[in-house]
Amino acid sequence: PNLKRLRLSSIDPAEVDPDLIELIKFEKKIMPHIHFSVQSGDNLILKRMKRRHNREDVIDICNDLKRSRKDLTFGADMIIGFPTEDEKRFENSIDLISKCNFSNVHFFPFSPKKGTPASKMPQVNSKDIKNRIKYARRFASNILSKIMNNQIGKNVNILYKSNKRSYTDNFFKVNLTFKTSTSKKMVGSIIKVKLKSIKDGKFLAS
């Protein structure tokens, strides 16, 4: 009961049940940024990964949550270059990022581990993996920029960690433009700031 904030991270979509959905929708202690362990936006790749969800599950979860809580943003972990991933299957991952409007995406290049089923599958060329990750990061960065630009001018709460990096409730990084002699005492506190502009993927706020 005394807990003021709780941030959920790296949730397996297959583990999202009705109770968790209701909790995220209506419990304001849950921070409005949910990060999912998605891994791919292509159903065949997800099946070959032995994941228990498909792309439609992820889309449905995001849409359902967003209808009840407009301030929610979403993040995802994605593996690029899993064996048999061709351009079309890679494009399905890009499409899922767009459909769910993921604002925070961690991209990981696939690397085979000896003895695993995936290591015995047809491998994707390492150069193709690098090019796909480069494209995916640029694509996700554009989505992030659009979402952040819509926040300019708003007064928001941040969790203060330092002047150079604090976080909004939606897990956007914030760089404070004012100096304070009590910064060490402020660590861990919640303060309200105004989002002024964006620089290097961070909000500048005062």
Side-chain angles (χ1 to χ4, degrees):
N2 294 327
L3 185 68
K4 294 181 179 180
R5 296 157 57 93
L6 180 65
R7 190 177 297 286
L8 302 180
S9 180
S10 296
I11 299 174
D12 183 344
E15 296 289 346
V16 179
D17 60 14
D19 287 341
L20 183 56
I21 289 284
E22 291 301 299
L23 187 69
I24 295 171
K25 282 181 178 179
F26 303 112
E27 177 53 72
K28 297 305 180 183
K29 291 180 182 180
I30 302 291
M31 292 292 92
H33 180 77
I34 309 298
H35 197 91
F36 295 107
S37 179
V38 176
Q39 309 304 358
S40 175
D42 182 81
N43 283 340
L44 182 58
I45 295 297
L46 287 168
K47 185 176 181 179
R48 287 172 175 166
M49 287 178 171
K50 301 189 182 302
R51 304 292 295 183
R52 296 173 296 154
H53 66 274
N54 58 38
R55 61 179 281 118
E56 289 76 22
D57 293 331
V58 178
I59 294 170
D60 289 345
I61 291 169
C62 291
N63 287 342
D64 185 20
L65 291 173
K66 194 76 173 178
R67 278 193 293 269
S68 295
R69 197 168 173 184
K70 304 297 183 184
D71 61 338
L72 274 176
T73 58
F74 304 105
D77 296 327
M78 304 287 282
I79 294 175
I80 304 298
F82 190 85
T84 74
E85 179 194 79
D86 56 17
E87 285 297 327
K88 177 58 180 175
R89 303 198 186 286
F90 168 67
E91 288 171 7
N92 285 338
S93 288
I94 296 298
D95 180 69
L96 183 65
I97 292 170
S98 177
K99 278 187 167 57
C100 294
N101 219 26
F102 290 136
S103 62
N104 180 31
V105 190
H106 300 156
F107 295 105
F108 301 93
F110 173 81
S111 57
K113 184 177 181 180
K114 188 176 180 180
T116 61
S119 69
K120 301 172 184 177
M121 297 179 187
Q123 303 294 304
V124 180
N125 182 280
S126 60
K127 184 177 180 180
D128 289 338
I129 294 177
K130 289 179 181 178
N131 288 336
R132 289 175 191 175
I133 284 186
K134 185 177 179 180
Y135 176 87
R137 284 175 175 159
R138 187 166 61 247
F139 185 89
S141 179
N142 288 335
I143 291 178
L144 175 61
S145 293
K146 290 178 182 177
I147 296 174
M148 292 180 71
N149 277 312
N150 288 332
Q151 301 294 312
I152 296 296
K154 291 186 177 181
N155 294 309
V156 301
N157 289 328
I158 66 167
L159 173 64
Y160 183 86
K161 298 188 77 173
S162 71
N163 277 24
K164 291 186 177 181
R165 179 176 290 187
S166 294
Y167 290 89
T168 70
D169 290 352
N170 292 99
F171 206 56
F172 295 122
K173 298 182 182 75
V174 178
N175 191 329
L176 299 179
T177 57
F178 62 85
K179 293 182 179 181
T180 171
S181 59
T182 60
S183 58
K184 289 184 178 180
K185 295 181 180 179
M186 292 168 58
V187 173
S189 61
I190 309 299
I191 62 175
K192 188 173 286 292
V193 299
K194 186 170 185 177
L195 303 177
K196 298 283 192 176
S197 60
I198 301 168
K199 183 179 181 182
D200 299 329
K202 296 180 186 179
F203 281 116
L204 299 182
S206 60

